Amino acid sequence: MSDQPKPGPYSGDVVRPAGVVAFGEAPDPVPPLTPALLRRGQERFHIYCTPCHSELGDGNGMIVQRGFPSPPSYHIDRLRAAPPRHFVDVITNGYGVMYSFAYRVAPADRWAIAAYIKALQRSQHARPEEIPPDQRQALR
Ligand code: HEC
């Protein structure tokens, strides 16, 4: 009697409103890349990630300087080639000795942080010809 199959609130096939995701699940669709998203990502990155990864993303933040294992730089080839979803997954699930930030960083903010890290990676590898000519002068 008590083990009759019937859908309960936690049975997994509940219909969720659009945009609501279960714990540990990446939100779909990916939010569009906008200046507002990047600003939000920068702000969240500074709060949650720079203590270890540093402002530059080179993996030499304050906590690391005090003895926490050092993360890889975001500017290595493998992480430069990694898609934004990889960063969302690392924030959601953790990675090696890095713990999960799923309880602290909301799903939409994980995409914002991922977008900011992709911009940060690009900023360290911009080629002179990618800079508009009028601004190139100013750098000389
Ligand atoms: C307490 C320190 C600490 C904080 C805070 C931290 N990380 Fe990490 N992170 C690490 C360490 C250490 C590693 C390397 C883990 C390993 O390889 O075992 C790592 C690895 C990574 C990697 C590399 C994964 C790979 O494929 O090699 C990414 C991406 C990353 N972290 C993103 C983030 C983001 C985004 C945040 C902020 C939401 C963050 N981390 C916050 C310590 C931290």
Side-chain angles (χ1 to χ4, degrees):
M1 276 303 268
S2 60
D3 57 10
Q4 277 175 353
K6 59 178 177 189
Y10 303 107
S11 63
D13 35 45
V14 278
V15 179
R16 285 191 237 116
V20 175
V21 293
F23 177 76
E25 202 177 281
D28 267 331
V30 180
L33 184 56
T34 60
L37 186 81
L38 281 177
R39 272 197 301 277
R40 176 76 184 173
Q42 180 177 38
E43 185 207 41
R44 298 288 105 178
F45 179 80
H46 283 175
I47 294 170
Y48 294 110
C49 317
T50 56
C52 294
H53 288 272
S54 95
E55 301 279 333
L56 292 174
D58 63 7
N60 198 26
M62 282 309 294
I63 293 182
V64 173
Q65 291 172 32
R66 291 175 191 171
F68 196 83
S70 125
S73 168
Y74 291 152
H75 307 294
I76 61 174
D77 289 347
R78 179 176 62 83
L79 289 175
R80 286 179 58 216
R85 184 174 289 278
H86 178 64
F87 298 86
V88 171
D89 287 345
V90 172
I91 297 169
T92 306
N93 303 314
Y95 187 93
V97 299
M98 180 186 142
Y99 42 82
S100 163
F101 280 79
Y103 286 108
R104 279 157 284 194
V105 181
D109 284 340
R110 297 174 205 166
W111 286 103
I113 291 173
Y116 177 71
I117 292 173
K118 294 314 289 180
L120 189 63
Q121 289 174 324
R122 217 178 138 70
S123 75
Q124 300 294 301
H125 285 268
R127 292 189 305 273
E129 56 277 18
E130 290 174 320
I131 301 167
D134 50 325
Q135 293 170 33
R136 227 179 282 166
Q137 283 298 335
L139 292 174
R140 292 227 166 93

